[in-house]
Amino acid sequence: MAKANMSLTRNVMPTQDPQVRAHNFNEVALGYTEETAIDEAMRCLNCKNMPCVDGCPVKIHIPEFINKIKEGDFEGAYQIISKSSSLPAVCGRVCPQETQCESKCIRGVKGESVGIGRLERFVADWHNTFSTEEPVRPESNGHKVAIVGSGPSGLTCAGDLAKAGFEVTVFEALHTAGGVLVYGIPEFRLPKKIVAKEVDTLEKLGVKVETNVVIGKTLTIDELFDMGFEAVFVGSGAGLPNFMGIPGESFKGVYSANEFLTRSNLMKAYLDNPDTPIMKGGKVAVVGGGNVAMDAARTALRLGAEKVYIVYRRSMEELPARREEVEHAEEEGIEFQLLCNPIEILGYNNPDDVRDPKNGFVTGMTCVKMELGEPDEKGRRRPQVIPGSEFTIDVDTVVMSIGTSPNPLIKATTDGLEVNRHGGIVVNEDGLTSRTAVYAGGDAVTGAATVISAMGAGKTAAKAIADYLTAK
Amino acid sequence: MYRIVDKKVLNPTVVQLQIEAPLVANKARPGQFIILRVDENGERIPLTIAGADRENGTVKIIFQIVGSTTEKLSHKEAGDYIQDFVGPLGVATHLDGLKKVCIVGGGVGCAIAMPIAEALHEMGAEVTSIIGFRNKDLLILEDEFKACSDTLRIMTDDGSYGEHGNVTVPLKEMLEAGKQFDMIITIGPLIMMKFVVAAAKPFGTPVTVSMNPVMIDGTGMCGGCRLTLNVDGKKVTKFACVDGPDFNGYEVDFDEAMSRGRMYFDFERHAHEETCNLFKKEVQ
């Protein structure tokens, strides 16, 4: 085998030019070629103690799959990843690897870590493009499991259980499977055909997907048991969007990030002549600093906005979005208004004509400057208002991206299901809720978090469900 | 895909469909709604359930042709399929304990009011119905209302049928004459519901209104359906899809809801014209 590649820097991920991509919805990162993938794989030292695996919520055998890449056996690499992950093409794109596997990489001590996420994506894309191997449906063990929600936690749980021979049905409230992967994460970061392909793979493994079923409304958890399901996994996601509670949030042109992204992604409002409307163009302010805020801002830009601001009350250092997303946003020309907090959204009002069609549309947003004070109990420096610092930015659309609160539908219709004071479902270390045979994971438990942590929870619950039903 | 098992044109702008959706039919109660998509890439629209047949597994919807999506839906025939149909969503109308109720329906809102009137009638409550339309041609469900109402007042804006005037006229008249209601339930255009609330206010009669704002998912995720309530002098944001669609009429900020309802007015008018043009071309 060729010698290790001791370059301190990783192979650069080719991307669309920022000026070009700011006006289209095609994927930003273009992916490694076979040559770059092998070259990058050669940077892996194949450490005995595998610190990277510890950093992975679903414990992918990272050095093992990288070794296969070194050998040019890309399908072999895929088979190793797919033992641990049901959604490799998704994770390779949206996982925050820099704080997980890659943060533990020995190569990162001096220089850059191995580009594990980029390699994972390469392997999954190679498989999806070239592999003719069909997933083999395992023999049924006769046990039926219901999964509520087809987002990352639900699909992972479904995949693991299906591979172990369980008969799995996934119930999805929307008309397309994928949860946040289809309604939330934009096309330019995660093409929808990739999600569809992953769902298709699960269906070939025997997973049934029932769309247009709202658990808590169309059917209840108790009815699922009556229908013969022996265990239920609830991965229903985060739920109701938060608003700031400032004046003017009901003006036309104020969206939650969920609504803005759902209109563009799931409902395809970004296409020409869409059936679903969305406000396009003009000046847009996105309030918040998470990955969802970056997605909303970059979507607004691609929908034709002339100017897009990110308005965040702390500084760049505290901004929670992935570095890569922030860099991409900056390259595309999104302006960061940091240490800045909205106090009022302004709307048009023609006092002489109540029928003026412009009435009630957003015209601007008044903000105050912030400074960071003493750290709070979590160690985060608390932002405080600088007196007399009000200023107004001229905007037509405001997108509130300040988190979500758990959805009440399942709690309200499931007796004995314990939730915490934030409304998140209470679970033990196996993902088991206060109800027998009802498991939960992902944002429904933790509140808004990452795709991969939801997948980790789905995986943990799948193992616990398998153990429980096998012992029964 | 969901099959249309029956279609009835109730008036030139209002159509009734029976859709095969056993799971929805099994759970549907008066006041709840469904969300549908006519075709792939279609938009999601909420429509209140006008009735359900559990035995046959069908759900009845009655809608007015107001935009592109309802235009397309109106061209579907019995035997055709629609892409998506999900529900029942929202909280059912609270009817427990009501003995004397006034139902005030306007236009296509009468389609939603009717199953509530029926349910009350079956419970043995005294039902007074006031239904209003622009003119005689737009009148719907007269026989159905007759069958379940102890008193029925039909109003038309132009006097071409029933009594001349809007629905608040007989409501005020009855209240002023000392008629007592445990509850007024009103469903129709926002402006009508606003005036029903205003008419009832001097008498302190409780009013339930049914809100039908813009929605996408209908399960609490998007927040597009939010409305502001004034509860004891405090402004509270509620989501019509999970907290409603019924609200205490005295608390709803109708002016805001009317303004928000016009957010996509231009888009919708344009889309509707384009859809109509497409259908016209097909006919030619």
Side-chain angles (χ1 to χ4, degrees):
Chain A
M1 191 182 292
K3 267 184 69 176
N5 171 358
M6 293 311 290
S7 164
L8 292 182
T9 54
R10 56 171 83 180
N11 282 278
V12 174
M13 173 61 104
T15 55
Q16 271 196 78
D17 182 82
Q19 303 309 316
V20 176
R21 71 182 191 233
H23 306 290
N24 70 48
F25 276 85
N26 299 334
E27 199 170 8
V28 169
L30 302 171
Y32 279 169
T33 61
E34 292 187 10
E35 292 72 29
T36 20
I38 293 174
D39 191 57
E40 185 62 27
M42 288 297 179
R43 294 184 65 233
C44 174
L45 301 178
N46 200 9
C47 309
K48 279 267 171 312
N49 58 346
M50 301 183 289
C52 50
V53 179
D54 274 344
C56 174
V58 298
K59 307 286 176 236
I60 291 174
H61 301 292
I62 294 164
E64 231 180 287
F65 96 75
I66 293 181
N67 272 339
K68 291 286 182 193
I69 300 177
K70 289 179 188 172
E71 295 165 12
D73 178 6
F74 306 130
E75 180 59 25
Y78 177 83
Q79 293 305 333
I80 289 165
I81 296 175
S82 70
K83 270 189 232 163
S84 317
S85 167
S86 299
L87 311 166
V90 173
C91 290
R93 287 173 166 79
V94 303
C95 263
Q97 293 99 4
E98 62 281 5
T99 60
Q100 298 181 339
C101 52
E102 292 176 5
S103 74
K104 313 273 178 167
C105 177
I106 299 298
R107 295 300 307 264
V109 177
K110 192 180 165 200
E112 290 180 347
S113 67
V114 175
I116 300 170
R118 295 171 183 184
L119 290 175
E120 181 185 24
R121 170 182 162 162
F122 165 77
V123 166
D125 286 355
W126 193 94
H127 170 85
N128 286 343
T129 313
F130 298 110
S131 175
T132 50
E133 280 193 33
E134 288 286 315
V136 180
R137 184 175 177 167
E139 199 173 318
S140 165
N141 63 19
H143 290 295
K144 283 173 73 183
V145 181
I147 309 275
V148 182
S150 65
S153 72
L155 291 182
T156 301
C157 191
D160 281 15
L161 287 168
K163 283 176 199 165
F166 290 85
E167 291 182 19
V168 181
T169 304
V170 179
F171 295 96
E172 167 57 47
L174 291 170
H175 56 261
T176 308
V180 73
L181 306 175
V182 295
Y183 75 72
I185 302 178
E187 182 77 12
F188 58 84
R189 214 148 71 72
L190 178 64
K192 299 303 152 244
K193 67 173 196 293
I194 287 173
V195 182
K197 173 92 187 162
E198 304 272 29
V199 173
D200 181 57
T201 303
L202 292 179
E203 288 183 320
K204 285 184 176 140
L205 282 168
V207 174
K208 281 191 213 128
V209 180
E210 299 274 359
T211 53
N212 294 330
V213 180
V214 183
I215 301 300
K217 285 288 173 191
T218 317
L219 293 168
T220 63
I221 300 264
D222 290 300
E223 285 168 327
L224 292 176
F225 285 109
D226 295 341
M227 288 161 69
F229 292 102
E230 297 162 82
V232 177
F233 173 78
V234 180
S236 53
L240 284 61
N242 294 337
F243 288 89
M244 291 184 75
I246 58 174
E249 282 183 301
S250 295
F251 283 130
K252 288 170 278 190
V254 182
Y255 290 100
S256 73
N258 272 1
E259 181 182 359
F260 190 70
L261 289 170
T262 301
R263 282 180 182 275
S264 180
N265 299 329
L266 177 74
M267 304 313 298
K268 302 190 175 12
Y270 72 87
L271 299 174
D272 291 336
N273 290 321
D275 280 14
T276 299
I278 194 166
M279 286 186 59
K280 296 180 180 178
K283 300 191 182 78
V284 181
V286 177
V287 180
N291 288 319
V292 176
M294 299 304 129
D295 285 346
R298 297 172 69 199
T299 296
L301 191 69
R302 284 158 172 78
L303 287 172
E306 56 189 86
K307 182 83 208 166
V308 181
Y309 304 95
I310 288 275
V311 177
Y312 178 58
R313 63 195 181 129
R314 292 184 164 93
S315 71
M316 190 57 97
E317 208 172 303
E318 292 82 18
L319 191 115
R322 290 182 71 189
R323 273 314 97 184
E324 187 182 302
E325 304 306 326
V326 175
E327 281 163 20
H328 280 162
E330 283 182 320
E331 284 168 13
E332 290 164 11
I334 284 160
E335 188 177 321
F336 284 71
Q337 291 269 359
L338 302 167
L339 289 166
C340 174
N341 204 32
I343 53 168
E344 182 174 4
I345 297 165
L346 308 171
Y348 190 83
N349 178 30
N350 182 347
D352 301 323
D353 183 6
V354 290
R355 292 181 166 273
D356 188 329
K358 291 201 291 268
N359 282 346
F361 277 95
V362 173
T363 58
M365 185 164 78
T366 304
C367 301
V368 284
K369 296 267 185 206
M370 311 292 282
E371 59 188 355
L372 293 178
E374 294 303 307
D376 60 16
E377 61 272 20
K378 283 183 186 159
R380 287 219 295 186
R381 292 178 66 194
R382 201 188 297 270
Q384 52 202 38
V385 176
I386 301 176
S389 63
E390 285 96 39
F391 67 103
T392 297
I393 48 177
D394 175 19
V395 290
D396 311 285
T397 302
V398 175
V399 181
M400 288 293 174
S401 180
I402 52 168
T404 56
S405 311
N407 197 310
L409 291 184
I410 288 176
K411 158 70 187 149
T413 53
T414 313
D415 283 340
L417 187 72
E418 200 185 320
V419 299
N420 63 27
R421 67 190 168 91
H422 303 294
I425 300 171
V426 176
V427 296
N428 72 6
E429 66 281 2
D430 287 335
L432 180 65
T433 68
S434 54
R435 280 281 305 263
T436 308
V438 178
Y439 296 76
D443 286 3
V445 168
T446 58
T450 61
V451 167
I452 189 72
S453 64
M455 290 180 57
K459 204 167 184 62
T460 303
K463 186 173 182 311
I465 291 169
D467 291 347
Y468 164 71
L469 291 181
T470 312
K472 215 170 111 172
Chain B
M1 302 284 272
Y2 298 80
R3 196 164 67 96
I4 298 169
V5 293
D6 185 57
K7 176 181 179 177
K8 215 184 254 175
V9 177
L10 301 187
N11 76 30
T13 65
V14 176
V15 177
Q16 170 181 305
L17 297 178
Q18 302 269 6
I19 314 264
E20 196 169 65
L23 288 180
V24 184
N26 194 34
K27 281 287 170 66
R29 284 188 291 151
Q32 290 189 295
F33 65 96
I34 56 91
I35 284 193
L36 64 78
R37 286 201 315 157
V38 177
D39 47 30
E40 190 62 48
N41 290 337
E43 71 173 327
R44 294 171 66 95
I45 60 158
L47 289 173
T48 307
I49 295 167
D53 181 336
R54 273 170 213 192
E55 266 166 43
N56 292 315
T58 58
V59 177
K60 181 160 71 180
I61 51 170
I62 297 177
F63 61 95
Q64 185 163 19
I65 304 164
V66 288
S68 170
T69 300
T70 43
E71 181 73 45
K72 282 184 204 165
L73 188 58
S74 75
H75 288 262
K76 295 279 178 189
E77 301 298 335
D80 289 348
Y81 287 81
I82 58 171
Q83 189 75 27
D84 296 293
F85 193 86
V86 57
L89 302 167
V91 182
T93 305
H94 294 292
L95 302 176
D96 289 350
L98 296 180
K99 295 200 168 52
K100 285 184 177 182
V101 182
C102 183
I103 303 285
V104 185
V108 74
C110 295
I112 308 153
M114 199 258 300
I116 296 170
E118 275 178 343
L120 286 164
H121 179 70
E122 275 168 34
M123 282 164 53
E126 182 191 321
V127 178
T128 303
S129 298
I130 305 171
I131 56 175
F133 304 90
R134 279 215 306 278
N135 58 51
K136 183 175 183 247
D137 294 339
L138 300 179
L139 174 74
I140 55 171
L141 304 173
E142 184 183 4
D143 293 341
E144 286 83 347
F145 270 103
K146 257 186 202 153
C148 63
S149 308
D150 297 275
T151 309
L152 173 64
R153 305 281 291 264
I154 300 174
M155 310 299 295
T156 49
D157 291 355
D158 63 356
S160 54
Y161 193 78
E163 300 170 65
H164 189 180
N166 61 44
V167 291
T168 52
V169 175
L171 178 66
K172 271 187 196 156
E173 190 187 290
M174 285 187 242
L175 290 169
E176 275 163 10
K179 179 87 185 158
Q180 300 283 323
F181 297 114
D182 301 332
M183 179 74 76
I184 297 168
I185 299 175
T186 180
I187 303 166
L190 289 168
I191 188 77
M192 182 201 89
M193 294 195 288
K194 181 183 172 177
F195 280 108
V196 168
V197 171
K201 198 170 184 183
F203 305 92
T205 314
V207 184
T208 295
V209 299
S210 175
M211 305 298 282
N212 188 16
V214 170
M215 278 181 200
I216 306 178
D217 60 297
T219 62
M221 191 191 77
C222 81
C225 66
R226 66 189 181 276
L227 42 96
T228 303
L229 302 186
N230 293 300
V231 183
D232 302 327
K234 265 177 60 184
K235 283 184 188 271
V236 183
T237 298
K238 290 280 178 188
F239 294 158
C241 65
V242 288
D243 301 316
D246 289 355
F247 292 93
N248 175 349
Y250 292 108
E251 293 178 345
V252 172
D253 183 338
F254 283 103
D255 293 341
E256 180 190 289
M258 284 188 266
S259 174
R260 284 183 64 77
R262 285 193 293 267
M263 181 156 170
Y264 299 109
F265 185 78
D266 287 341
F267 177 96
E268 281 159 2
R269 194 175 49 186
H270 181 70
H272 191 190
E273 278 168 11
E274 290 212 330
T275 306
C276 289
N277 288 340
L278 279 177
F279 281 118
K280 274 182 205 150
K281 265 186 205 158
E282 269 179 31
V283 171
Q284 280 165 6

